Amino acid sequence: MTPRKGESPPLPEPLPAAVVDAHTHLDACGAKDSASVIEILDRASSVGVTRVITVGDDLDSAVWAAEASTWDDRLFAAVAVHPTRTSGFGDADKAVLEDLARRPRVVAVGETGLDYYWDYSTPQEQDAAFRWHIDLAKRVGKALMIHDRDAHEDILRVLTEEGSPEKVVFHCFSGDLDFARRCVERGYVLSFAGPVTFRNAKDLREAAAFVPADQLLVETDAPFLTPHPFRGRPNESYAVAYTVRDLAALRGVDVAELANAVSATAQRVFSLPAVTSDLPNGEGLV
Ligand SMILES: [Zn+2]
Ligand SMILES: [Zn+2]
């Protein structure tokens, strides 16, 4: 993974209503202990990003994410072994993940899926691990958080063959309008990261304009995929506010309306406990 260069983007103007960053990697953003986690969460909530889901991408990172989610009420976790790390994925790993996935603050099984861009794991290893994670999500009754890189058709095929869990989220959705339609028809939820704000991402922006608000989420995938106009600079949960504003303009709706809608979607999909708002301007949540 390439380290991000340059200065962090400035804090955006606070959002008029709270949102959830539905996918980030706090450990990869440099957080280690509760103090460094809380620092990132404080920066996020100061602009209305009041809840965050941190995602573990290998076993150590999943253990850390599950643990970190107990350090602050604003933080939740998702656990899985990332498709690119599935070489050698075995019974001992499965036992650890099974235990983590059942913890109350772990709200999703992910990120799992298929990644045909990198070749660290074979398609067969990825396929087997993806199927195991699908089954895990069903057994623990939590959302399945999918990583799909250059693998749209195979992802849908495997979901059909295995049977989808009740709640399926495509993290960092990367398809076009047609693929978005097919996902929406199946009841899946599409989560958009920084690339949706890139001015040359025509197909992706068309897809994002179409997705019904109750199947729409926003995320950073920080420290990667920093939104426009800060592309290439370090990303962090607070920057999802830039994506929300951009997406509201794209969809032709008020920022508050979109923020409330994506918040409600996150709350439903991840079964987040209801919270009273901790927005700096004291506005209500959802
Ligand atoms: Zn991913
Ligand atoms: Zn990720």
Side-chain angles (χ1 to χ4, degrees), residues 180-250:
R181 265 191 222 284
R182 293 161 65 201
C183 291
V184 163
E185 271 168 23
R186 290 166 168 241
Y188 301 159
V189 171
L190 312 188
S191 180
F192 289 86
V196 77
T197 67
F198 299 168
R199 293 311 185 245
N200 57 358
K202 191 178 155 286
D203 289 352
L204 186 60
R205 287 169 70 77
E206 212 174 45
F210 153 77
V211 178
D214 61 354
Q215 288 175 260
L216 183 72
L217 290 173
V218 288
E219 62 170 74
T220 53
D221 204 11
F224 315 105
L225 307 176
T226 314
H228 174 82
F230 305 107
R231 193 171 177 174
R233 286 163 62 175
N235 199 5
E236 206 182 272
S237 286
Y238 69 84
V240 86
Y242 289 111
T243 306
V244 171
R245 282 210 166 79
D246 194 272
L247 206 48
L250 176 71

Side-chain angles (χ1 to χ4, degrees), residues 23 82 111 147 171 221:
H23 185 114
H82 192 281
E111 49 187 301
H147 171 100
H171 117 76
D221 204 11

